[in-house]
Amino acid sequence: MKIQKYQSQLMFIYMLLFSYHRYAIAERKHENRERKTYIVHMDKSHMPASFEHHHEWYYTSLKSAADSAEMLYTYNSVIHGFSTRLTEQQAKSLKSQPGTLSIVPETRYELHTTRTPEFLGLGLGLGESDQLLPTSTSQSDVIIGLIDTGVWPELKSFDDMGLDPVPSSWKGECEEGKNFKSSDCNRKLIGARFFCKGYEAILGPIDESTESKSPRDDDGHGTHTATTAAGSATTSASLFGYASGTARGMAPHARIAVYKACWLGGCFTSDILAAMEKAIDDGVNVLSMSVGGSISDYYMDTVAVGAFSAIRKGILVSCSAGNAGPDSGSLSNVAPWITTVGAGTIDRDFPAYVTLGDGRNFTGASLYSGKPLPNKLLSLIYAGKASNMTNGNFCMSGSLNPADVSGKIVVCDRGGNSRAQKGLVVKRAGGVGMILANSEAYGEELVADAHLIPAASLGQNEADDIKKYILSDDNPTATIGFSGTELGVKPSPVVASFSSRGPNPLTPEILKPDLIAPGVNILAGWTGRVGPTGLESDTRHVSFNIISGTSMSCPHVSGLAALVKAAHPEWSPAAIKSALMTTAYTAYRNGKPIIDVATGLPSTPFDHGAGHVDPIAALDPGLVYDVTVNDYIDFLCALNYSSDQIKHTTSQESSCSSGKTYRVRDFNYPSLAVTLETASENGDGRAVNSVKYTRTLTNVGSPGIYKASMSVHDGSIKVRVEPESLSFNRMNEKKSFIVTVSAGSMPSGTTSFGHLTWSDGRHTVTSPITFTWT
């Protein structure tokens, strides 16, 4: 009996332990499902004396709030803190502990997805403009870091022939991983790292059958941006014969370091922040980031916080403005210490021709290179009439009825899925060709794609004409032809429809974007992993691809900033940015303003910022609007940031003086965004609209006398500059001036534009001005 009783007790204890174990496992699984990734900012000055190292303090703080949590990354340069996975309750517990500045939830960012050196005036000859370019030796001292999808190192664009040994200041390395060896780096590609802990914490382990857990680029985007910024000159470059010639980056002798933080599932801020920290510590001079997310206050914006740490170390940060245009206020990356880049076209097109059965001809764009259509007219149908789905007009996967489209050319509306995928949907349904029709959102913008079937992209007006023809004709027919590459296209540049627009949704007093650069139909290096469309079924392999986006315009400016840095290594990031902005142009050689392709009307500073970049002029700007770290802190004080919010943004101890007046409008930015009051309906009909702006110019050229001139579109706005002339006698001399704007009341939302130019007869230093009534 005693034995049986003992056995029963053992069985009870076993069952109890087993049940508890199962309960604990279930609880742990539930907790893991409830966890989210957070970036934890710690106040370094609050570390208790009992700890010898900050990492010990971080670990103990984390374990006291969540004993099973682990740190994904620790950060020492961009911020002081770490990233981890926590439940909401654990995050609250950690936030309440002494020394915790803030806890920011993980954010997923998206990628903002040849001829351009010549278009920008960076010729291969020995003309007068080429004499201003920095030497290859000084260029090779500059290192461009790119945070993106990695790199395809075998491309000739990464050839290091003729380059000197790697600069002694470089502290980076080439990390090994799947399909990537340290020997894949050389004197051109001097660094390669990858960051995936944040990605894997949310989406699980990387599927190494589809992407490489290493710096290798399986997407193509990172290779394209890297070679755009600083690719070595490569002859006989083209995509299927399109855009043939010598491809080279903006700074072809600069070094490249890649930081892979973007994967097939996106780019997560904990990984981006870790990549920024390594780039800063490694010693890059320019940091290029063609990614973007939602707008948030600067102290909550991971990229803005990381970028501040970079500019503190003298690193210029260039970011894409976003591809959410032409909507107003659609920008990303708007911090004033970031160079925000929109997109324009270049003077090169890839014409495709659509001929209708009634004899009319329309010109579109395409990079199709396969078998042409038969030399006859083919039946034509609108996708919306060949589908039983409400969104059938977009040619979404499986939306077309094969019986309706077999053997026909199909008109598909742009939007909803990728442009090339629409052609694949048509092909799978039995169609033989596609006309890609722009809607009002895309206007007359023509983006070329390497389609898998004969296809042409058409602007809205011509696409609408074709749809009307289909409705009016009992037997509509058409054919599509292709004619290769066309150079010397005018007008160019025009602002791309997709390029995100101002005004600045976070700080309207800071004009964004800063400027535009080539971002439409850009030829650059590509991965060997996927075809030019990126579609799984596209088995073609190319060394170069032609794609579009502010992702492409950003590395143009990154490379051009490297050129300016090479020519003027002592300049601050703000001085380089000012040089690029104040020498940008807003009109064609005939004097007419740059066009916005979305409207067909002249573009405004909300579209193009300071204008289209002009690298040769930027090398010798005459004067610059320089900004120090303390100036940026004063800017944050003007936003009424608390000491903790400033510390969160800048990772340094700072406070605002109670005896000092801080105003955003006095921040020394190279542009002016003027906000004016609209009179109250209950008032006397008048609004006091006299505001003053202070700016300071620094001489970076020869001595000279600069005179101010104003141009304002609205004659009712009065602008006065005091003094009207500035005399500079020596290098780095500073002179300040005041701009006074006076204007009456206008309806809220009214905008107008103008510009202020300082000139000594040789240099023109131009700042765009926007006027907005609120």
Side-chain angles (χ1 to χ4, degrees), residues 101-120:
L101 275 176
S102 67
I103 298 182
V104 182
E106 176 92 278
T107 302
R108 182 169 125 174
Y109 277 38
E110 300 292 343
L111 297 165
H112 286 153
T113 322
T114 133
R115 173 73 179 168
T116 49
E118 287 75 18
F119 179 70
L120 292 170

Side-chain angles (χ1 to χ4, degrees), residues 348-421:
R348 180 179 65 196
D349 274 347
F350 307 102
Y353 304 103
V354 176
T355 301
L356 301 183
D358 63 5
R360 284 184 292 170
N361 293 287
F362 300 98
T363 301
S366 182
L367 296 168
Y368 177 71
S369 62
K371 183 179 179 181
L373 289 171
N375 190 24
K376 63 178 182 179
L377 294 171
L378 301 169
S379 293
L380 180 66
I381 190 169
Y382 178 51
K385 299 297 183 181
S387 175
N388 298 323
M389 298 184 181
T390 56
N391 62 351
N393 57 306
F394 292 111
C395 296
M396 307 290 280
S397 182
S399 65
L400 300 179
N401 299 324
D404 294 323
V405 304
S406 180
K408 298 178 181 178
I409 295 173
V410 182
V411 177
C412 301
D413 285 333
R414 186 173 167 184
N417 57 346
S418 79
R419 299 180 298 271
Q421 188 178 30

Side-chain angles (χ1 to χ4, degrees), residues 137-397:
T137 300
S138 59
Q139 279 190 53
S140 67
D141 290 335
V142 180
I143 303 164
I144 304 175
L146 299 104
I147 297 177
D148 215 296
T149 64
V151 65
W152 195 264
E154 290 80 10
L155 292 181
K156 292 181 179 179
S157 298
F158 300 111
D159 189 348
D160 65 356
M161 183 178 296
L163 287 177
D164 292 332
V166 175
S168 59
S169 61
W170 179 242
K171 300 180 182 65
E173 63 181 68
C174 280
E175 296 178 351
E176 296 197 338
K178 184 174 181 181
N179 301 322
F180 200 95
K181 305 182 296 295
S182 61
S183 59
D184 287 327
C185 290
N186 56 17
R187 295 190 305 272
K188 179 66 175 179
L189 177 63
I190 64 173
R193 298 182 186 271
F194 66 101
F195 306 84
C196 59
K197 292 178 182 178
Y199 177 92
E200 291 189 317
I202 293 175
L203 298 179
I206 287 171
D207 181 358
E208 296 195 50
S209 67
T210 58
E211 56 183 332
S212 305
K213 194 172 180 178
S214 74
R216 182 163 294 276
D217 181 13
D218 300 305
D219 177 271
H221 190 276
T223 301
H224 199 280
T225 57
T227 53
T228 297
S232 299
T234 304
T235 59
S236 303
S238 75
L239 174 65
F240 304 131
Y242 289 101
S244 61
T246 297
R248 63 191 182 103
M250 298 300 98
H253 301 288
R255 318 292 180 140
I256 295 172
V258 299
Y259 299 85
K260 182 177 178 179
C262 295
W263 306 81
L264 294 182
C267 324
F268 290 90
T269 47
S270 58
D271 294 327
I272 291 173
L273 200 62
M276 295 181 81
E277 172 149 307
K278 278 298 183 184
I280 293 169
D281 292 345
D282 287 347
V284 304
N285 304 110
V286 176
L287 189 55
S288 185
M289 302 176 62
S290 292
V291 298
S294 58
I295 290 288
S296 58
D297 286 317
Y298 302 121
Y299 63 90
M300 297 287 286
D301 183 336
T302 300
V303 169
V305 170
F308 195 96
S309 292
I311 64 102
R312 260 192 314 142
K313 298 290 183 67
I315 302 166
L316 182 138
V317 181
S318 172
C319 292
S320 48
N323 297 337
D327 291 347
S328 175
S330 53
L331 293 159
S332 297
N333 303 315
V334 296
W337 48 87
I338 290 174
T339 302
T340 310
V341 188
T345 63
I346 63 173
D347 62 341
R348 180 179 65 196
D349 274 347
F350 307 102
Y353 304 103
V354 176
T355 301
L356 301 183
D358 63 5
R360 284 184 292 170
N361 293 287
F362 300 98
T363 301
S366 182
L367 296 168
Y368 177 71
S369 62
K371 183 179 179 181
L373 289 171
N375 190 24
K376 63 178 182 179
L377 294 171
L378 301 169
S379 293
L380 180 66
I381 190 169
Y382 178 51
K385 299 297 183 181
S387 175
N388 298 323
M389 298 184 181
T390 56
N391 62 351
N393 57 306
F394 292 111
C395 296
M396 307 290 280
S397 182

Side-chain angles (χ1 to χ4, degrees), residues 65-147:
D67 61 352
S68 62
E70 299 292 338
M71 287 187 281
L72 300 175
Y73 297 103
T74 58
Y75 308 106
N76 302 309
S77 298
V78 287
I79 64 168
H80 303 299
F82 57 94
S83 52
T84 186
R85 298 274 290 170
L86 300 170
T87 65
E88 187 174 341
Q89 189 59 43
Q90 290 168 342
K92 289 180 180 178
S93 174
L94 184 57
K95 177 66 174 72
S96 66
Q97 293 187 20
T100 302
L101 275 176
S102 67
I103 298 182
V104 182
E106 176 92 278
T107 302
R108 182 169 125 174
Y109 277 38
E110 300 292 343
L111 297 165
H112 286 153
T113 322
T114 133
R115 173 73 179 168
T116 49
E118 287 75 18
F119 179 70
L120 292 170
L122 301 174
L124 292 170
L126 295 173
E128 182 180 347
S129 64
D130 294 282
Q131 304 304 308
L132 293 173
L133 292 172
T135 65
S136 59
T137 300
S138 59
Q139 279 190 53
S140 67
D141 290 335
V142 180
I143 303 164
I144 304 175
L146 299 104
I147 297 177

